Amino acid sequence: MSIAFLPSLRCQLPVLLILVQGVFIVVFILFFSFEDPSSHFNTSNATTTAGDDDLDAIFPLFKDVHVMLFAGLGLMLSFLKLYGFGGIAFNFLIANFAIQWSMVVQGVFYHFRHGVILLRLNNVLEAEFAAVTALISVGAVLGRTSPVQMLLLTAMEIPLFVVNDWLVNKYFHIIDVGGTVAIHIFSCYFGLGVSQILYQSSLRRGHVKETTTSNSDLLSLLGTIFLWIFWPSFNSVLAKTKEAQHRAIVNTFLALSSGTITTFAMSSLMDKRGRINLAHLQNASLAGGVAVGISADLISPGGAFSIGCLASLACSLGFQYLTPFLAKKMKVQDQCGIHNLHGLPGIIGTVGSIVVILLGPVDKYGLSLHENLFSSSQEGQHPILGVFRGGETWTAQSQALQQAAALGVTFGVSLFGGYITGLLMKLPCFVHPSKDDFFDDQLYFQIPEDTGNKWISMDELQKHMLIPLKHV
Amino acid sequence: MSIAFLPSLRCQLPVLLILVQGVFIVVFILFFSFEDPSSHFNTSNATTTAGDDDLDAIFPLFKDVHVMLFAGLGLMLSFLKLYGFGGIAFNFLIANFAIQWSMVVQGVFYHFRHGVILLRLNNVLEAEFAAVTALISVGAVLGRTSPVQMLLLTAMEIPLFVVNDWLVNKYFHIIDVGGTVAIHIFSCYFGLGVSQILYQSSLRRGHVKETTTSNSDLLSLLGTIFLWIFWPSFNSVLAKTKEAQHRAIVNTFLALSSGTITTFAMSSLMDKRGRINLAHLQNASLAGGVAVGISADLISPGGAFSIGCLASLACSLGFQYLTPFLAKKMKVQDQCGIHNLHGLPGIIGTVGSIVVILLGPVDKYGLSLHENLFSSSQEGQHPILGVFRGGETWTAQSQALQQAAALGVTFGVSLFGGYITGLLMKLPCFVHPSKDDFFDDQLYFQIPEDTGNKWISMDELQKHMLIPLKHV
Amino acid sequence: MSIAFLPSLRCQLPVLLILVQGVFIVVFILFFSFEDPSSHFNTSNATTTAGDDDLDAIFPLFKDVHVMLFAGLGLMLSFLKLYGFGGIAFNFLIANFAIQWSMVVQGVFYHFRHGVILLRLNNVLEAEFAAVTALISVGAVLGRTSPVQMLLLTAMEIPLFVVNDWLVNKYFHIIDVGGTVAIHIFSCYFGLGVSQILYQSSLRRGHVKETTTSNSDLLSLLGTIFLWIFWPSFNSVLAKTKEAQHRAIVNTFLALSSGTITTFAMSSLMDKRGRINLAHLQNASLAGGVAVGISADLISPGGAFSIGCLASLACSLGFQYLTPFLAKKMKVQDQCGIHNLHGLPGIIGTVGSIVVILLGPVDKYGLSLHENLFSSSQEGQHPILGVFRGGETWTAQSQALQQAAALGVTFGVSLFGGYITGLLMKLPCFVHPSKDDFFDDQLYFQIPEDTGNKWISMDELQKHMLIPLKHV
């Protein structure tokens, strides 16, 4: 059997990447600088820039997010038997492109002054948060899109994320320290939008290469565990005060922990023999982190514990019942189950935040709530709520409404953006794999000849023998 | 061959987990709070709680311990060919349950005031140290107990650990910054106690499934390396002063490093062909960290270097000679060799600490020793030694006696607790695997059909062929 | 087939290691101390030593470098199918020996006062940087040297590194925050020197065991990613000011990121079918970090971005064209391609630093440049440039010359040292593997019998069958 290959891959992938890097070199040389253009260079303080003291606070979190994105998510995505490199290496590629592209877009959007984009580690961290969305969305079409298509998806999603993020945070003044709405909900429905357009009827009965091995499942679980370990950093990095950060860390840990035990319980319960499903474990044990993100700095320990249980419950059920339903009835094929890990827990978390805002924290963390709100509102004014400073018109009800509105707008923007992007990705001019070669590294990587995916198993061996084996 | 399964697993595991999480939700909602109940909520300082400034100091160590427990120990335990998920996933489950349960027990024991358990990141870290004991003890019966039995073990061990930890630290005023006695000795003999009760005569000649593969051994070694990297954090997290922490970090590194080289030397020496035994490497290279824990902040670099060599020497010899002896003569089957990694080095370390207290540090670190002692003695009195403050009755001799007494008491308490727990775990009502299905993931996980453990090797193939292969 | 073994291994390896540890125990006990001998012990400040406040700054970077050396580099080196343990475990052994040996050599060289080597965490970090050189050099002869030979290489290289490091930094006053010259260039040409002496004509057509598997390639890529994640820590740890550290972190990230995308582009471009070569990805995605090291705290973001692209470009081309050329024409066999990852990017980086010094930063970072220079020059005098303090004779031209001189001297010293060391390693008295057993763990490790490297593949099966298989 000849090895399949994509003749157009060599034309498109290197050309696209070289083009992108060429343009970025020019952009970085011309516009990015470590120095604030509003300060003068020749004074003795030239090399000291504002915000410098934050390095010690930001750098550890920067590294944690790095581990999550590159090692954690990369390993987690390499769960397929024949598509391990497609998981970890394309994640590596897409993450880098997404971060660079986000630095440019966010640089123009937020940090462009006097013809210069002031670059601090903070910008890179900000860009990594944006990059997460592309990496999540790609999960919906993992293994059935070429790297060229994935780059296209990323190129489209990042600017839309920046706009929606601005809407959600600056216009709707959402309270969402962990990015549950702006990151998880957005990337989930963007990815599902793309997936719906790229619907593959041939996948309805599954795909012969869409299998895992013990080893790939174990490495994927290791990836999950790396994400799990550093998730508290992710949810607390944007907290406004030390105390809020402290609560966000502990609450995220609690939600992850209760969610993990719930995942074991649910997965065992849903199997006839009481066994754990590894896909559940790889995903649903993280659902608590997604759901608690939006209120991690606000709620009480008991609340975080409960939300974790609820999120992992929904995620497990989603894998078992909703994903097959969506694939069959709604023509939405969700390869990695991003709807279960990011969509459902995101909605649960947002609803939870509304409940918390309406009922709970006014007594307890009201002050902190107000502080969150005001520091995110630079003008002290709000287009809908009117004057903010002094808190005259701010009410729990209005904030609850804002949370819901932000969720709704994000849902609409991301789904619409996903549809447009999917249509673009479907254009025949872009290289895409044929159905037989879905979920196969051989198309994209020079993998070792005697690789694991060609080993013969006892069962297979039986089939191939003219004369039977003695016994197996 | 039909796949074995445990009919009772589905009844017991999910029910137990849901019950536990249900109870914990109520407990966390009713009793856990981020706010000190002794402060008033309505003042402007409401959200600022004492101990807040420690977040920057604790959070990095919290993450390091996380990596050790979930990634390091998880990987290390997945060294068996057919029981990789049993290693990493059950470690994940048990760790989460143990941490939650410890938070409750330690919360009631130490932090319960005015009807509220004040929750800080510090509590979670404290709980993770307790959880370590359960994870170590489980190693003695790895692969031959069901998750239900492991949860039972954890449920029993955590409260006993809290009591013994209090005895060791508050009653005997042990000097033990790294928890060598309270954590390693305790968990080792608790686990061995359980193992002795759960003795399986069928395992005397080994078990057909108790094998490793190159890949599982490599991942296990990677787990060891993660533990190795972050062990200095573990041993230094409880140090009282910056200088003590500094010494604990460097000493732990030195002991690990000299121990690692000693392990290579001993392992090569004990093999006829001079080859390294991977089980030695996976375990004995960490023995220095266990042994040096008790005196990491007290001793000199040369002392740490020597203790590391000694501990790894003992651990290697233990694997080669003591473990088979214990299994045959004492009916103690120690699957992971926890006695070699935690028991022997723990005893060496404790004896070393006594030598150090009697001979060495009075001249050098005497001051620091006193400080350790007094800050751990809240009342300034000691039931045996009498009045402490002012140091009138404290002598090196009395402290050496206390160290020995703490070791002895821990030994007794843990072994007795292990026996009781083992008897409980043996009750027929709890689900347990049959002998044929020891060390097998298939009972507990929906593992991929075409999994690595069914590949055929050249040797096996020879056996199965009616007609011989041309050549191999 | 009988398993090969080395009769002399058991005589030499343990004896050598025990001897080394024995000597080091004595040295550490006699000479290493946590206390500054110039302070008196009996004062109340006895346990407080200068430099103590740095612990919080150094410890995180110490851990990052640990992850890079032990987990990252270890995994990266375990890319061979049958030599995974040779990669990760020998890296573990060599790293530990190299760090201990460096602590002794650097201790005598830099920290020996009043008969005592003052030991701080800083020394250990310093020793780890030295150890890196041995680990890199070993890469050139990976799999075809015994651990005894590797230990010999390390024993020779560390003292030479310390001398050359002193020359480069104290005599030539190089500006090189990331050790591009002192670490990467030095270790590369030292390794190549050794490799040229140990030339194996039998390897000209490759070696049957020098292959990878999907799994070993994936784990190696994971190792690369760990190195990639923490490289900014490596390049910034020696930065003099917070602002310089900030720039070094961001610039290193940018160079790594642009280099990674360039690697994907180049690798795809150089394959007929546009596929990515995993060896390129495992190596060239790190080249930006090597190249940018020397100027990471000086250059602008655009400069770092460009250097990253250039370095990965050179590294990819090197793997494709230069490595085969060196092996054939120059008799330099470079197993891991260290010349592509450390040599070429190192030269590019050094040339880049000269360009930057001549053209760029005098306007911008001139002040910082001067500060770097003066703080490294304790005497305020320079043998060639004359009086420094006051900056009378310092010019960009003179500094550029110094950079070039340091590069040249390092090149000469390392290559010469490599030749001498190679000749020593070649002595027949030291154990070395036979040609058939290159790249084979079986010589050195008790690997599982049913290990992955004996599985049969479909293609192999065909060859072994007397009667054909039905279909494949």
Side-chain angles (χ1 to χ4, degrees):
Chain A
M1 196 185 80
S2 68
I3 299 174
F5 72 103
L6 292 169
S8 52
L9 184 64
R10 195 188 182 188
C11 311
Q12 294 191 14
L13 184 61
V15 171
L16 187 66
L17 292 177
I18 290 171
L19 198 75
V20 164
Q21 292 302 284
V23 171
F24 281 4
I25 283 181
V26 175
V27 170
F28 270 79
I29 289 179
L30 290 184
F31 298 112
F32 280 80
S33 169
F34 289 124
E35 284 155 80
D36 193 342
S38 56
S39 75
H40 296 288
F41 296 146
N42 298 327
T43 69
S44 60
N45 296 321
T47 54
T48 313
T49 321
D52 207 27
D53 304 328
D54 296 339
L55 186 64
D56 291 338
I58 293 173
F59 190 39
L61 300 169
F62 172 76
K63 288 183 287 188
D64 294 349
V65 173
H66 254 192
V67 175
M68 292 176 77
L69 287 200
F70 294 98
L73 196 53
L75 278 177
M76 190 188 170
L77 290 174
S78 63
F79 63 99
L80 287 170
K81 180 182 174 182
L82 305 179
Y83 197 65
F85 295 108
I88 194 166
F90 286 151
N91 180 72
F92 196 28
L93 174 66
I94 299 301
N96 274 294
F97 170 59
I99 293 172
Q100 293 176 13
W101 180 219
S102 300
M103 286 172 73
V104 172
V105 174
Q106 290 173 329
V108 171
F109 209 83
Y110 289 120
H111 308 291
F112 195 71
R113 276 184 206 93
H114 306 291
V116 166
I117 296 168
L118 178 63
L119 180 61
R120 313 295 302 166
L121 190 58
N122 210 36
N123 307 24
V124 189
L125 190 61
E126 194 181 39
E128 300 204 335
F129 275 79
V132 172
T133 59
L135 300 174
I136 294 172
S137 298
V138 158
V141 293
L142 188 89
R144 54 191 175 100
T145 44
S146 73
V148 173
Q149 288 175 299
M150 294 183 207
L151 289 167
L152 210 63
L153 181 152
T154 309
M156 294 290 289
E157 182 165 5
I158 296 295
L160 201 67
F161 163 79
V162 173
V163 170
N164 186 67
D165 186 49
W166 182 89
L167 271 178
V168 162
N169 282 299
K170 303 293 177 190
Y171 189 84
F172 289 110
H173 294 279
I174 196 174
I175 294 172
D176 182 3
V177 72
T180 298
V181 169
I183 294 175
H184 295 286
I185 293 284
F186 177 83
S187 58
C188 170
Y189 291 101
F190 187 96
L192 294 184
V194 169
S195 180
Q196 199 166 6
I197 300 293
L198 298 183
Y199 177 73
Q200 288 282 351
S201 57
S202 66
L203 288 177
R204 289 187 66 173
R205 295 186 186 174
H207 191 285
V208 68
K209 293 180 181 175
E210 202 182 2
T211 57
T212 65
T213 66
S214 284
N215 191 51
S216 68
D217 265 328
L218 201 147
L219 288 178
S220 179
L221 182 57
L222 180 63
T224 297
I225 287 175
F226 276 119
L227 287 167
W228 197 96
I229 289 171
F230 293 106
W231 208 289
S233 297
F234 190 89
N235 276 356
S236 68
V237 72
L238 296 179
K240 294 270 157 49
T241 65
K242 276 276 164 201
E243 183 60 19
Q245 194 186 13
H246 199 139
R247 285 195 301 267
I249 290 168
V250 176
N251 277 335
T252 303
F253 171 77
L254 286 175
L256 287 165
S257 184
S258 70
T260 301
I261 294 189
T262 305
T263 303
F264 274 93
M266 286 308 298
S267 192
S268 174
L269 196 65
M270 293 188 299
D271 181 64
K272 275 184 296 182
R273 289 170 172 164
R275 297 166 304 169
I276 314 295
N277 184 315
L278 294 165
H280 296 171
L281 208 51
Q282 287 152 3
N283 289 277
S285 51
L286 296 170
V290 173
V292 87
I294 196 168
S295 54
D297 56 343
L298 299 178
I299 57 177
S300 62
F305 204 99
S306 312
I307 282 180
C309 288
L310 214 60
S312 291
L313 182 80
C315 184
S316 305
L317 290 171
F319 269 96
Q320 195 80 355
Y321 304 109
L322 192 58
T323 299
F325 174 83
L326 286 178
K328 272 181 201 159
K329 303 291 175 186
M330 307 280 287
K331 300 201 172 181
V332 179
Q333 289 155 337
D334 183 2
Q335 303 307 132
C336 297
I338 63 170
H339 189 247
N340 307 313
L341 177 48
H342 303 278
L344 295 177
I347 292 169
I348 287 172
T350 310
V351 171
S353 82
I354 291 172
V355 172
V356 165
I357 287 165
L358 286 178
L359 303 180
V362 185
D363 302 332
K364 291 191 172 181
Y365 304 116
L367 189 76
S368 149
L369 253 174
H370 272 83
E371 278 165 4
N372 276 347
L373 218 57
F374 286 126
S375 59
S376 70
S377 158
Q378 292 180 329
E379 324 83 26
Q381 286 234 341
H382 188 275
I384 293 170
L385 300 176
V387 180
F388 251 44
R389 203 157 300 282
E392 287 115 348
T393 62
W394 185 89
T395 61
Q397 285 72 20
S398 69
Q399 182 63 39
L401 217 70
Q402 300 284 88
Q403 303 282 110
L407 177 66
V409 165
T410 299
F411 182 82
V413 168
S414 59
L415 205 59
F416 180 74
Y419 286 148
I420 301 289
T421 304
L423 289 171
L424 203 71
M425 290 166 71
K426 215 177 175 180
L427 290 179
C429 59
F430 296 114
V431 61
H432 58 272
S434 71
K435 289 160 195 174
D436 290 342
D437 298 325
F438 286 173
F439 316 112
D440 197 335
D441 280 333
Q442 288 189 84
L443 281 184
Y444 310 112
F445 298 92
Q446 295 177 40
I447 50 173
E449 272 189 52
D450 53 351
T451 186
N453 50 16
K454 290 193 293 180
W455 299 124
I456 188 166
S457 73
M458 290 298 282
D459 292 342
E460 281 180 69
L461 189 62
Q462 287 279 28
K463 292 180 211 149
H464 293 302
M465 302 297 286
L466 287 175
I467 46 171
L469 295 173
K470 270 194 286 186
H471 69 278
V472 178
Chain B
M1 196 185 81
S2 70
I3 300 174
F5 73 103
L6 292 169
S8 51
L9 184 65
R10 195 188 181 188
C11 311
Q12 294 192 13
L13 184 61
V15 170
L16 187 65
L17 293 176
I18 290 169
L19 199 74
V20 164
Q21 292 302 284
V23 172
F24 281 3
I25 283 180
V26 174
V27 170
F28 270 80
I29 289 178
L30 290 185
F31 298 112
F32 279 80
S33 170
F34 289 125
E35 283 155 79
D36 193 343
S38 57
S39 74
H40 296 289
F41 297 146
N42 298 327
T43 69
S44 60
N45 297 320
T47 54
T48 312
T49 319
D52 205 30
D53 304 329
D54 296 339
L55 185 65
D56 291 338
I58 293 172
F59 190 40
L61 300 169
F62 172 76
K63 287 184 288 186
D64 294 350
V65 173
H66 254 192
V67 175
M68 291 177 77
L69 287 200
F70 294 97
L73 196 53
L75 277 177
M76 190 188 170
L77 291 174
S78 63
F79 63 98
L80 286 171
K81 181 182 172 182
L82 305 179
Y83 198 64
F85 295 108
I88 194 166
F90 286 152
N91 179 73
F92 196 28
L93 174 66
I94 299 301
N96 273 295
F97 171 60
I99 294 171
Q100 293 176 13
W101 180 217
S102 301
M103 286 173 73
V104 172
V105 175
Q106 291 173 329
V108 171
F109 210 83
Y110 290 119
H111 309 290
F112 194 70
R113 276 184 206 95
H114 307 290
V116 166
I117 297 168
L118 178 63
L119 180 60
R120 312 296 302 166
L121 190 58
N122 210 36
N123 308 25
V124 189
L125 190 60
E126 196 181 37
E128 300 205 333
F129 276 79
V132 172
T133 60
L135 300 174
I136 293 171
S137 299
V138 159
V141 292
L142 188 87
R144 53 190 176 99
T145 43
S146 73
V148 173
Q149 289 176 297
M150 295 184 206
L151 289 168
L152 210 63
L153 181 153
T154 308
M156 294 291 289
E157 182 164 4
I158 296 296
L160 202 67
F161 163 80
V162 173
V163 170
N164 186 68
D165 185 48
W166 183 88
L167 272 178
V168 161
N169 281 300
K170 303 292 177 190
Y171 190 84
F172 289 110
H173 295 279
I174 195 174
I175 294 171
D176 182 4
V177 72
T180 298
V181 170
I183 294 174
H184 294 286
I185 293 284
F186 177 84
S187 58
C188 171
Y189 291 100
F190 188 96
L192 294 183
V194 168
S195 180
Q196 201 167 5
I197 300 294
L198 298 183
Y199 177 73
Q200 287 283 349
S201 58
S202 66
L203 287 178
R204 289 188 65 173
R205 295 184 186 174
H207 192 283
V208 67
K209 292 180 181 174
E210 202 183 1
T211 56
T212 65
T213 66
S214 283
N215 191 49
S216 68
D217 264 329
L218 202 147
L219 287 178
S220 179
L221 181 57
L222 181 63
T224 297
I225 287 176
F226 275 118
L227 287 167
W228 197 96
I229 289 170
F230 292 105
W231 208 290
S233 297
F234 190 90
N235 275 357
S236 69
V237 72
L238 296 178
K240 293 269 158 47
T241 64
K242 277 275 164 200
E243 184 60 19
Q245 193 185 14
H246 198 139
R247 284 194 303 267
I249 289 168
V250 175
N251 277 335
T252 303
F253 171 77
L254 286 175
L256 287 166
S257 184
S258 71
T260 301
I261 293 188
T262 304
T263 303
F264 274 94
M266 288 306 298
S267 192
S268 175
L269 196 65
M270 293 188 299
D271 181 65
K272 274 185 295 182
R273 289 171 172 163
R275 297 166 304 168
I276 314 296
N277 184 313
L278 294 166
H280 296 171
L281 207 52
Q282 287 152 4
N283 289 277
S285 51
L286 296 170
V290 173
V292 87
I294 194 167
S295 54
D297 55 343
L298 300 178
I299 58 178
S300 61
F305 204 98
S306 311
I307 282 181
C309 288
L310 215 59
S312 292
L313 182 79
C315 184
S316 305
L317 290 171
F319 268 97
Q320 195 80 357
Y321 304 109
L322 192 58
T323 299
F325 173 84
L326 286 178
K328 273 180 199 158
K329 304 290 176 187
M330 307 280 285
K331 299 201 172 180
V332 180
Q333 289 155 336
D334 184 1
Q335 305 306 133
C336 297
I338 63 170
H339 189 246
N340 306 313
L341 177 48
H342 304 277
L344 295 178
I347 293 169
I348 288 172
T350 310
V351 171
S353 81
I354 292 173
V355 172
V356 165
I357 288 165
L358 286 178
L359 302 179
V362 185
D363 303 332
K364 290 190 174 183
Y365 306 115
L367 189 76
S368 149
L369 253 174
H370 271 82
E371 278 164 4
N372 276 347
L373 219 56
F374 286 125
S375 59
S376 71
S377 159
Q378 291 180 330
E379 324 83 26
Q381 287 235 341
H382 187 273
I384 294 171
L385 299 176
V387 180
F388 250 43
R389 202 157 301 280
E392 287 113 350
T393 63
W394 185 89
T395 61
Q397 284 73 20
S398 68
Q399 181 64 39
L401 218 68
Q402 300 283 88
Q403 303 281 111
L407 177 66
V409 164
T410 299
F411 182 81
V413 168
S414 60
L415 205 57
F416 179 75
Y419 287 148
I420 302 289
T421 304
L423 288 170
L424 203 72
M425 289 166 70
K426 217 178 173 177
L427 291 179
C429 61
F430 297 113
V431 61
H432 58 272
S434 71
K435 290 161 194 172
D436 290 342
D437 299 323
F438 286 173
F439 316 112
D440 198 335
D441 280 332
Q442 288 188 84
L443 281 183
Y444 312 112
F445 298 92
Q446 296 177 41
I447 49 173
E449 272 188 52
D450 52 352
T451 186
N453 51 15
K454 289 194 293 180
W455 298 125
I456 187 166
S457 73
M458 290 298 281
D459 292 344
E460 280 180 69
L461 189 62
Q462 286 279 27
K463 291 180 212 147
H464 292 302
M465 303 295 287
L466 287 176
I467 45 170
L469 296 173
K470 269 194 287 187
H471 68 278
V472 177
Chain C
M1 196 185 80
S2 70
I3 299 174
F5 73 104
L6 292 168
S8 52
L9 183 65
R10 195 189 180 188
C11 311
Q12 294 193 13
L13 183 61
V15 171
L16 187 66
L17 292 177
I18 290 169
L19 199 75
V20 164
Q21 292 304 282
V23 171
F24 281 3
I25 283 181
V26 175
V27 171
F28 270 80
I29 289 178
L30 291 183
F31 298 112
F32 279 79
S33 171
F34 289 125
E35 284 156 80
D36 193 343
S38 58
S39 75
H40 296 288
F41 296 146
N42 299 327
T43 68
S44 60
N45 297 321
T47 53
T48 312
T49 320
D52 207 28
D53 304 328
D54 296 340
L55 186 64
D56 291 338
I58 293 173
F59 190 39
L61 300 169
F62 172 76
K63 288 184 288 187
D64 293 349
V65 173
H66 255 192
V67 175
M68 291 176 77
L69 286 200
F70 294 97
L73 196 53
L75 278 177
M76 190 188 170
L77 290 174
S78 63
F79 63 98
L80 287 171
K81 179 182 174 183
L82 305 179
Y83 198 64
F85 295 108
I88 194 166
F90 286 152
N91 179 73
F92 196 28
L93 174 66
I94 299 301
N96 274 295
F97 170 60
I99 294 172
Q100 293 176 12
W101 180 218
S102 301
M103 285 172 73
V104 172
V105 175
Q106 291 173 329
V108 171
F109 210 84
Y110 289 120
H111 309 290
F112 194 70
R113 276 185 205 93
H114 307 291
V116 166
I117 296 168
L118 177 64
L119 181 59
R120 312 295 302 166
L121 189 59
N122 209 36
N123 308 25
V124 190
L125 189 61
E126 195 180 39
E128 300 205 333
F129 275 80
V132 172
T133 60
L135 301 173
I136 293 171
S137 298
V138 159
V141 292
L142 188 89
R144 53 191 176 100
T145 44
S146 73
V148 173
Q149 290 175 297
M150 294 184 207
L151 289 167
L152 211 63
L153 180 152
T154 309
M156 294 291 288
E157 181 165 6
I158 296 295
L160 202 67
F161 164 80
V162 173
V163 170
N164 186 68
D165 187 48
W166 183 89
L167 271 178
V168 162
N169 281 299
K170 302 294 176 189
Y171 190 84
F172 288 110
H173 294 278
I174 195 174
I175 294 171
D176 182 2
V177 73
T180 298
V181 169
I183 294 174
H184 295 285
I185 292 283
F186 177 84
S187 58
C188 171
Y189 291 100
F190 188 96
L192 294 184
V194 169
S195 180
Q196 200 167 7
I197 300 294
L198 298 183
Y199 177 72
Q200 288 283 350
S201 57
S202 67
L203 287 178
R204 288 186 67 174
R205 294 185 187 175
H207 192 284
V208 67
K209 292 181 181 173
E210 203 182 1
T211 55
T212 65
T213 66
S214 284
N215 191 49
S216 68
D217 265 329
L218 201 147
L219 288 178
S220 179
L221 181 58
L222 181 63
T224 297
I225 287 175
F226 275 119
L227 287 167
W228 197 96
I229 289 170
F230 292 105
W231 208 290
S233 297
F234 191 89
N235 275 357
S236 69
V237 72
L238 297 178
K240 294 269 157 48
T241 64
K242 277 277 164 199
E243 183 61 19
Q245 194 186 14
H246 198 139
R247 284 195 301 267
I249 290 168
V250 176
N251 276 335
T252 303
F253 171 78
L254 286 176
L256 287 165
S257 183
S258 70
T260 301
I261 293 188
T262 304
T263 303
F264 274 93
M266 287 306 299
S267 193
S268 174
L269 195 65
M270 292 188 299
D271 181 63
K272 275 185 295 183
R273 288 172 173 163
R275 296 166 305 169
I276 314 295
N277 184 315
L278 293 166
H280 296 171
L281 207 52
Q282 287 153 4
N283 289 276
S285 51
L286 296 170
V290 173
V292 87
I294 195 166
S295 52
D297 55 343
L298 299 178
I299 58 178
S300 61
F305 204 98
S306 310
I307 283 181
C309 288
L310 215 60
S312 292
L313 181 80
C315 184
S316 305
L317 290 171
F319 268 97
Q320 195 80 356
Y321 304 109
L322 192 58
T323 299
F325 173 84
L326 287 177
K328 273 181 200 160
K329 304 291 176 185
M330 307 280 286
K331 300 199 172 183
V332 180
Q333 290 156 336
D334 183 1
Q335 304 306 133
C336 297
I338 62 170
H339 189 248
N340 307 314
L341 178 48
H342 303 279
L344 295 178
I347 292 170
I348 288 171
T350 310
V351 172
S353 81
I354 292 173
V355 172
V356 164
I357 287 165
L358 286 178
L359 302 180
V362 185
D363 303 331
K364 291 190 172 183
Y365 305 116
L367 188 77
S368 148
L369 253 173
H370 271 83
E371 279 165 4
N372 275 347
L373 219 56
F374 285 124
S375 58
S376 70
S377 158
Q378 290 179 330
E379 323 83 26
Q381 287 235 339
H382 188 274
I384 295 171
L385 299 176
V387 181
F388 250 44
R389 202 157 301 281
E392 287 114 350
T393 63
W394 186 88
T395 60
Q397 284 74 18
S398 67
Q399 182 63 40
L401 217 69
Q402 300 284 89
Q403 303 281 110
L407 177 66
V409 165
T410 300
F411 182 82
V413 168
S414 59
L415 205 58
F416 179 75
Y419 286 148
I420 301 289
T421 304
L423 289 170
L424 203 71
M425 289 166 70
K426 216 177 175 177
L427 290 179
C429 61
F430 297 113
V431 61
H432 57 271
S434 70
K435 289 161 195 173
D436 290 343
D437 299 324
F438 286 173
F439 316 112
D440 197 335
D441 280 332
Q442 286 188 85
L443 282 183
Y444 311 112
F445 298 92
Q446 296 177 40
I447 48 173
E449 272 188 53
D450 53 351
T451 185
N453 51 16
K454 289 194 293 180
W455 299 124
I456 188 166
S457 72
M458 290 299 281
D459 291 343
E460 281 180 69
L461 189 63
Q462 287 278 28
K463 292 180 211 148
H464 293 302
M465 302 298 286
L466 287 175
I467 45 169
L469 296 172
K470 269 193 286 186
H471 68 279
V472 179

